[in-house]
Amino acid sequence: MSTMETSKDDALYEYPFELTDVPRLSFDDPQANRLIANQKPVVLTGTNLVNSALHWDLNYLKDNIGNSLFTVYQSKNRYFRYYEPRKIPQHKDFKPPTLQAEMNFSEFVDKLKECQKTGIHKLYLQQLLFQNIGERIIKDFISFNWDWINQQKNLNRWGPLSSNLLLIAMAGNITSVHYDEQQNFLAQVRGRKRCLLFSPEQFECLYPYPIHHPHDRQSQVNLENLNLKKFPKSADLEGMQAILEPGDVLYIPVYWWHQIESLPQNGVTISINFWYKVRNFLEESITYPLTTSQKIAIMRNIEKMITDALGNVDEVGPFMQSMVLGRYT
Ligand code: SIN
Ligand code: FE
């Protein structure tokens, strides 16, 4: 007999803006490589990138991942909006939207079971994979398809792999819309994820927090509840969408906005991020017109310079306004 739990309707939330599908292509399709080269998102099938991890589940990880500590975020709602702790002191009124705790893996599993039962909190484990990992997990890790991903890195002249992040989410968790300053292959291991993507051209529609704010790189817009009074240009949003299945790899180009939702199901989703540094574009030969991503990099640098020079985050807005108002507007 179906319970409330299992009969839960899996219908996806309907956004009031256009969403086109991210192309879904085999890893050896030349068009897939063209999209990556042109910094356009694509879902790749058949990469075998994390095939050696497709058997991972909570029990296997609990038995094999070792006894080190893992970072687990706890939220009172389904949103996990990232924040930078080092930027909190300049913002006395800032209240972190999630709690961060360190625990070993079996403590995480216990807490997870409790949260699944009570439904009061959501948990999201986000842990960089580098040390103190058990032998069998290391073996799985070494067996990732590094040949394929290294080839991509070289083909596209990316910098070195900076990190791998292990992500374990409860059903319904949402990583709020944001952009990263690195190239990212998001590999799906378990469960399904709904990914919304917006090109860097949508900067004005997504109203990122100031660079000095703990929520730097995050959008102030709530995509599930648009506030057109406060953020009128969010009415012009146009995005792309991909549903990731185990084995799929989503290329998230640097500076592309993304929001990731773990789709309702029983249990958890497991994913692994592969982040690659980008070369400083000023070191490359520059061609004009600049791309939007290059302009965003410049804007970030200038905003940071002004913030550092003024030494007071409250002066940044008025300073920039007097620089442009009536002169460049
Ligand atoms: C997620 O999968 O929840 C976040 C991935 C990302 O933002 O890179
Ligand atoms: Fe991200």
Side-chain angles (χ1 to χ4, degrees):
M1 208 188 81
S2 81
T3 62
M4 285 264 287
E5 213 29 42
T6 51
S7 66
K8 207 187 280 165
D9 193 344
D10 279 10
L12 299 181
Y13 179 80
E14 280 211 37
Y15 291 94
F17 40 81
E18 194 185 314
L19 286 174
T20 54
D21 287 341
V22 175
R24 185 180 171 84
L25 299 171
S26 173
F27 78 103
D28 56 1
D29 186 325
Q31 175 62 5
N33 285 334
R34 275 195 289 273
L35 288 169
I36 299 171
N38 291 315
Q39 309 207 17
K40 295 283 179 334
V42 55
V43 176
L44 301 155
T45 60
T47 62
N48 285 346
L49 179 59
V50 294
N51 270 29
S52 55
L54 291 183
H55 65 287
W56 287 8
D57 60 17
L58 291 177
N59 283 332
Y60 178 83
L61 291 174
K62 190 164 105 172
D63 291 343
N64 295 292
I65 205 160
N67 199 28
S68 56
L69 293 179
F70 293 78
T71 300
V72 176
Y73 294 94
Q74 177 178 309
S75 175
K76 288 203 181 90
N77 52 47
R78 54 202 301 232
Y79 291 98
F80 290 80
R81 183 182 269 157
Y82 179 76
Y83 56 94
E84 288 178 54
R86 73 182 171 91
K87 292 183 178 169
I88 296 178
Q90 298 157 288
H91 291 264
K92 298 273 179 285
D93 297 337
F94 179 77
K95 292 217 170 41
T98 58
L99 287 176
Q100 183 183 336
E102 309 294 317
M103 60 188 80
N104 66 34
F105 203 85
S106 61
E107 286 171 319
F108 166 65
V109 174
D110 291 345
K111 213 166 147 70
L112 186 82
K113 297 220 163 104
E114 195 183 306
C115 288
Q116 281 168 333
K117 216 173 343 171
T118 62
I120 297 171
H121 294 118
K122 295 277 195 189
L123 299 181
Y124 205 150
L125 180 147
Q126 302 189 3
Q127 178 61 42
L128 292 177
L129 289 175
F130 50 91
Q131 52 194 359
N132 301 329
I133 300 290
E135 240 168 72
R136 284 172 78 170
I137 304 292
I138 291 177
K139 201 159 162 266
D140 297 336
F141 183 87
I142 291 171
S143 306
F144 288 172
N145 191 353
W146 295 106
D147 284 349
W148 174 78
I149 205 165
N150 286 332
Q151 199 187 349
Q152 284 299 331
K153 162 193 171 278
N154 294 333
L155 268 175
N156 296 297
R157 299 173 41 74
W158 294 348
L161 176 77
S162 69
S163 52
N164 287 106
L165 187 73
L166 172 66
L167 298 140
I168 305 184
M170 286 172 72
N173 285 11
I174 291 182
T175 296
S176 308
V177 60
H178 68 282
Y179 65 86
D180 298 302
E181 294 181 274
Q182 302 197 37
Q183 307 284 2
N184 184 7
F185 279 122
L186 174 58
Q188 193 59 10
V189 169
R190 200 163 196 89
R192 297 193 308 150
K193 272 184 164 170
R194 181 190 203 184
C195 310
L196 305 184
L197 291 107
F198 304 90
S199 85
E201 269 93 53
Q202 306 251 298
F203 190 90
E204 277 94 1
C205 307
L206 284 163
Y207 302 86
Y209 283 89
I211 207 164
H212 53 72
H213 194 278
H215 284 316
D216 177 26
R217 297 185 293 100
Q218 316 287 311
S219 169
Q220 299 178 77
V221 172
N222 179 340
L223 295 179
E224 287 72 39
N225 188 11
L226 295 185
N227 182 343
L228 297 182
K229 259 215 182 88
K230 206 166 167 195
F231 305 117
K233 290 207 172 98
S234 60
D236 301 334
L237 275 170
E238 275 177 31
M240 299 180 86
Q241 164 170 253
I243 310 281
L244 292 191
E245 310 270 352
D248 291 348
V249 174
L250 172 65
Y251 167 51
I252 306 177
V254 59
Y255 296 121
W256 271 68
W257 296 89
H258 49 287
Q259 167 158 303
I260 317 274
E261 174 184 359
S262 283
L263 292 181
Q265 48 149 23
N266 300 316
V268 294
T269 63
I270 305 182
S271 330
I272 301 168
N273 263 339
F274 296 72
W275 271 307
Y276 287 86
K277 296 202 168 150
V278 289
R279 293 167 202 269
N280 181 342
F281 81 92
L282 294 172
E283 292 161 13
E284 308 272 290
S285 59
I286 298 175
T287 56
Y288 292 93
L290 297 178
T291 66
T292 306
S293 297
Q294 289 171 326
K295 288 179 191 165
I296 291 171
I298 295 174
M299 268 173 15
R300 287 189 62 86
N301 282 336
I302 292 173
E303 202 179 323
K304 192 167 180 306
M305 252 158 60
I306 293 175
T307 307
D308 290 347
L310 292 173
N312 174 1
V313 298
D314 295 331
E315 288 182 33
V316 179
F319 180 90
M320 291 207 280
Q321 295 213 22
S322 59
M323 204 161 88
V324 299
L325 275 185
R327 301 183 55 229
Y328 286 90
T329 55

